[in-house]
Amino acid sequence: MSQTLSRPKVQPWSQSSVASVRPLILASVLPAVFAALVGLLANLDFSVALLVIFVPLQALAAGFVGFKTYGKRGLKDAVLIFVTIFFSMMVMVLLTSVLVSVAVAGFSAMSPQFLSQNNVYVSPTTSLEYGGVGHAILGTLLIVILTTIAAVPLGIAMAVFLTQSNAKHKGIVRTVTQALSGLPSVVSGLFILAIMGFVGIERSGLTGALALFPLMLPTVARVAEESLRLVPSDLRLAALALGAPNYKAFFQVILPAAKSGIITALLLGLARIIGETAPLILTINANNSTNLNPFAEGIATLPTYIYGFLSSGYSTSQARAWGAALVLLLLVALLFGAARIMTRQKSLKTKSTKKAK
Amino acid sequence: MTNSTPSASTLSAEDISVWFGERQVLSNVNLVFPANQVTALIGPSGCGKSTFLRTLNRMHELIPGAGLAGSVLLDGVDIYAPEVSPVDVRINIGMVFQKPNPFPTMSIRENILSGLKLSGRKTANADELVETSLRRASIWNEVKDRLNDQALSLSGGQQQRLCIARSLAMDPKVLLMDEPCSALDPGSTRRIEETIEELSESMTVVIVTHNMQQAQRVSHQTAFFLADENTPGGVVEFGSTEQVFNTPVDPRTNDYVNGHFG
């Protein structure tokens, strides 16, 4: 009978001694200190000190320590690890600064009334205590939902055609889809505008949704296609061998297996359209009042609201624009968070039952 | 679903020839699988055993470029007749694949019931069906306390027995098995072999295997397939397992079953 041991506190592969840690500390502190000193003495710009002095020096130091410990192979490892960490941190800083600057600039406009009220009787100089983006939040949701209702089922249907059928002309469909996913949004807006003039339809939320549709469809189709392609063909064969008709094999076996990928497709599609401004400026009447009917009259969205207030030079209107940008970011975060929770439920269930054993 | 004992059927393949595109891979296979008998299909890799097995429940036609001549009769009815639906064929002739392929999004219980759901049938007593099927595949004791766990939480051998149980829940008349033990440890293999023996009491079994001992242990009759280079494969010898292994007529069979080639 074998004995049960307690798990060691330090794993054999992560043992460290003072002797092995000292050069590591030196190699990670010295370049920074040196770069800071040179930078201060020579009065260099921060970015110059960082990129011209610190980065090469730190790569060199990391490489030296790696070489001392593991030889040539250690040198390459250490340099690559440093480069990876440094540049991913740069990107993190960049993205975080975007979020932080929007949050800081938009914070002054934030208030319950800013989220709920509409923009009637608000001029560019009106105090921030009056008016808000309530109408634009509703407008954004209405237009995005309209587009999603049309684009997601059709996009998934295209993905199904591209992955499950044996049709001959799939190549053409795939090429066109890929070409369309690079469509400049303003072109899509102009296209719908031209059709509106030709057929004689008035601007409304619906025409805005129509202009967003060609942008969302290819994104959804491509991502959904990739996720359906990842479902092993074994599963489809297993379902068919159990006497399933094709449609049941798809809906009950293949689609559930690709669920998280399909939700990613939906999210990327949403991300593609929710911040679009140009096609909407061309196809909707961005108004100031609340309009719950997307099929008639003017309707505003957050991006058109931002565009409208940013282009007038007053500080209060700029604050409104930043506030609306923050609301848009939060809205996106909310939608993404909700979708992620929806996809995670299944795997959580597996984990909890495993633990219960 | 009724609880009557499922009736086994006789399956016979007549003059089966198979093509992939323009390339012929099987030529004139004639085999009869009598009711309640276990038939082993043996032969070196690439001789068309698995392909032949797939013609028996119309899975072959799902491969792009597949071609077929000949007929397969289930109790005298041609399963390739125009008025016969492949769905009905597959309900009556179940299949277990080489690699375990439980449905990853379903629990153990849902996997067992998936066949009924997928083929659009109902059962009066789902719990009982789940238990009977799992018992027949001798995996009930290992999973009875975790029927709602994901099927993928099982080990490879358990997953394969789950797939067998899933096929059994359909109450098939014939069960086709394509190297069901090739990825399993000896313990799981032994349990599946015991299962096969019990199954032959209520159904007809056709099993493809590369394991000579397994063929001798589980089967009543054996068919030896062989394909010479660049020629379509075919059956070299077909007879009772005892005869094929102990007194083979064809010298090539003798060489193969004694491990001289292949």
Side-chain angles (χ1 to χ4, degrees):
Chain A
M1 203 64 188
S2 53
Q3 225 176 321
T4 314
L5 297 171
S6 60
R7 189 178 185 275
K9 294 224 162 43
V10 179
Q11 302 310 310
W13 54 85
S14 52
Q15 277 169 6
S16 58
S17 62
V18 180
S20 70
V21 167
R22 198 181 292 136
L24 278 179
I25 294 174
L26 280 181
S28 50
V29 171
L30 272 184
V33 173
F34 183 76
L37 277 178
V38 173
L40 284 175
L41 290 177
N43 201 17
L44 288 175
D45 202 48
F46 173 74
S47 53
V48 174
L50 183 72
L51 290 176
V52 179
I53 300 174
F54 172 74
V55 172
L57 212 60
Q58 179 67 78
L60 212 66
F64 181 71
V65 174
F67 185 72
K68 287 287 277 183
T69 337
Y70 296 112
K72 212 165 149 195
R73 167 165 64 81
L75 184 145
K76 288 180 188 167
D77 259 4
V79 171
L80 189 66
I81 288 171
F82 164 68
V83 169
T84 321
I85 293 177
F86 179 76
F87 285 102
S88 42
M89 278 168 79
M90 290 279 282
V91 172
M92 280 298 293
V93 167
L94 211 80
L95 293 179
T96 319
S97 70
V98 171
L99 290 178
V100 169
S101 61
V102 171
V104 168
F107 187 73
S108 63
M110 273 301 153
S111 65
Q113 137 265 322
F114 185 72
L115 291 175
S116 59
Q117 286 185 9
N118 64 24
N119 215 28
V120 185
Y121 310 124
V122 172
S123 77
T125 49
T126 309
S127 148
L128 286 172
E129 286 160 34
Y130 304 99
V133 292
H135 66 305
I137 294 176
L138 291 173
T140 301
L141 288 177
L142 281 175
I143 289 181
V144 163
I145 287 169
L146 267 187
T147 315
T148 307
I149 287 173
V152 168
L154 275 175
I156 295 174
M158 279 175 78
V160 172
F161 172 72
L162 289 175
T163 53
Q164 314 288 314
S165 83
N166 292 327
K168 274 185 192 153
H169 309 296
K170 286 199 294 195
I172 302 171
V173 177
R174 185 175 292 124
T175 313
V176 171
T177 317
Q178 280 175 356
L180 267 177
S181 63
L183 180 76
S185 58
V186 70
V187 174
S188 166
L190 282 170
F191 173 68
I192 297 298
L193 186 65
I195 289 184
M196 284 160 62
F198 189 71
V199 186
I201 320 172
E202 291 294 309
R203 291 174 176 224
S204 68
L206 180 66
T207 53
L210 280 176
L212 295 181
F213 175 74
L215 304 173
M216 188 172 194
L217 182 67
T219 311
V220 174
R222 285 181 60 201
V223 182
E225 187 200 342
E226 289 306 318
S227 66
L228 286 176
R229 201 177 291 288
L230 288 178
V231 177
S233 60
D234 288 12
L235 294 183
R236 178 165 167 264
L237 291 179
L240 294 176
L242 287 168
N246 271 310
Y247 77 94
K248 276 195 180 170
F250 177 74
F251 281 111
Q252 295 184 14
V253 173
I254 299 171
L255 198 61
K259 186 178 152 206
S260 71
I262 300 276
I263 290 188
T264 307
L266 166 76
L267 288 182
L268 289 179
L270 278 178
R272 176 82 167 88
I273 60 162
I274 200 164
E276 275 301 344
T277 323
L280 292 181
I281 288 173
L282 292 168
T283 52
I284 66 173
N285 270 330
N287 69 350
N288 291 321
S289 57
T290 309
N291 175 11
L292 287 176
N293 179 6
F295 302 105
E297 308 286 322
I299 190 164
T301 69
L302 286 164
T304 61
Y305 182 98
I306 296 169
Y307 176 79
F309 276 98
L310 216 52
S311 43
S312 80
Y314 300 95
S315 62
T316 44
S317 67
Q318 302 229 331
R320 280 179 197 282
W322 281 110
L326 180 55
V327 172
L328 185 59
L329 270 180
L330 292 176
L331 193 65
V332 171
L334 204 72
L335 288 175
F336 276 42
R340 281 294 153 223
I341 288 168
M342 268 166 58
T343 45
R344 209 167 292 164
Q345 266 165 358
K346 199 84 178 178
S347 54
L348 276 180
K349 199 174 107 192
T350 335
K351 270 183 202 152
S352 62
T353 44
K354 265 186 185 168
K355 261 183 206 158
K357 273 190 294 159
Chain B
M1 190 148 92
T2 56
N3 283 328
S4 66
T5 11
S7 49
S9 297
T10 299
L11 190 67
S12 52
E14 297 182 350
D15 285 326
I16 293 288
S17 297
V18 170
W19 291 262
F20 286 124
E22 293 304 313
R23 195 169 58 93
Q24 189 177 1
V25 295
L26 269 181
S27 175
N28 289 308
V29 177
N30 284 286
L31 292 177
V32 177
F33 309 104
N36 300 101
Q37 297 272 300
V38 178
T39 306
L41 308 182
I42 60 169
S45 294
C47 65
K49 309 177 297 286
S50 296
T51 304
F52 172 71
L53 195 73
R54 277 159 199 273
T55 65
L56 298 179
N57 72 338
R58 299 190 63 169
M59 290 300 281
H60 171 63
E61 68 205 55
L62 297 172
I63 302 164
L68 178 77
S71 49
V72 178
L73 307 178
L74 179 66
D75 286 334
V77 179
D78 187 356
I79 64 168
Y80 283 98
E83 67 275 10
V84 175
S85 135
V87 166
D88 291 325
V89 171
R90 293 171 197 148
I91 288 172
N92 286 319
I93 308 178
M95 184 162 204
V96 175
F97 294 77
Q98 184 175 357
K99 250 172 60 188
N101 52 5
F103 299 128
T105 52
M106 300 183 192
S107 68
I108 293 169
R109 184 189 146 85
E110 285 166 339
N111 259 282
I112 299 298
L113 297 173
S114 64
L116 289 182
K117 209 174 144 202
L118 286 167
S119 59
R121 295 183 300 170
K122 295 241 175 333
T123 174
N125 197 338
D127 290 331
E128 194 187 307
L129 179 67
V130 169
E131 181 172 344
T132 327
S133 308
L134 289 168
R135 275 191 194 286
R136 288 173 82 189
S138 43
I139 186 182
W140 169 252
N141 286 330
E142 289 156 71
V143 301
K144 63 183 174 197
D145 298 323
R146 47 195 284 216
L147 291 176
N148 291 319
D149 276 17
Q150 295 297 294
L152 290 187
S153 66
L154 298 174
S155 75
Q158 291 172 327
Q159 285 185 20
Q160 188 65 305
R161 277 178 281 146
L162 175 67
C163 290
I164 295 176
R166 182 175 68 184
S167 295
L168 296 181
M170 302 283 289
D171 228 350
K173 294 175 173 156
V174 180
L175 186 64
L176 311 176
M177 303 176 112
D178 189 358
E179 296 182 47
C181 304
S182 66
L184 305 183
D185 67 286
S188 304
T189 303
R190 185 173 47 78
R191 257 177 243 120
I192 289 180
E193 286 178 6
E194 287 164 8
T195 305
I196 294 172
E197 219 174 299
E198 285 159 29
L199 291 182
S200 68
E201 286 164 20
S202 52
M203 60 187 70
T204 311
V205 178
V206 184
I207 177 172
V208 169
T209 179
H210 275 142
N211 183 329
M212 296 300 119
Q213 286 75 36
Q214 180 170 67
Q216 281 173 284
R217 283 193 297 262
V218 302
S219 70
H220 302 107
Q221 49 174 13
T222 298
F224 173 51
F225 281 68
L226 191 61
D228 287 328
E229 243 173 281
N230 298 321
T231 58
V235 174
V236 170
E237 188 151 356
F238 176 46
S240 78
T241 299
E242 218 221 309
Q243 180 259 311
V244 170
F245 277 92
N246 297 332
T247 53
V249 177
D250 196 296
R252 292 171 296 177
T253 314
N254 188 41
D255 286 351
Y256 185 75
V257 299
N258 290 309
H260 295 313
F261 82 96

